[in-house]
Amino acid sequence: RQRRQSEVVRRLESLPEVRSCASVSGEFDLMLVVEAPLSEDLDAVIDEITSLEAVERCMTLIVLAKKFTRGD
């Protein structure tokens, strides 16, 4: 499982729209921040991510507005 996740992360790194990737606990293994200028572009990136062999499912949440952001 870890090897498959490492391969997915490597593939995600090649997508410029994927701004960050973090491992998380719970129902899913990874959380991504994806930025795209148009909804059609976002849809294409989601299609590309879900077409990866090791990706079993995906949940998409769209940020409507940032309320605040703290420094890294």
Side-chain angles (χ1 to χ4, degrees), residues 6-71:
S6 295
E7 177 60 29
V8 169
V9 170
R10 279 193 293 279
R11 298 283 304 276
L12 293 171
E13 282 182 302
S14 72
L15 301 175
E17 297 87 355
V18 177
R19 308 299 295 163
S20 68
C21 174
S23 60
V24 295
S25 64
E27 188 176 346
F28 293 91
D29 296 322
L30 298 173
M31 180 184 76
L32 309 178
V33 174
V34 177
E35 293 181 4
L38 301 171
S39 59
E40 294 85 3
D41 300 325
L42 179 58
D43 187 53
V45 173
I46 293 167
D47 285 345
E48 193 163 354
I49 292 168
T50 57
S51 73
L52 298 175
E53 185 177 330
V55 174
E56 296 176 10
R57 58 196 172 119
C58 173
M59 177 190 301
T60 304
L61 304 170
I62 296 176
V63 174
L64 300 176
K66 288 185 180 180
K67 300 303 183 184
F68 68 89
T69 303
R70 299 205 190 275

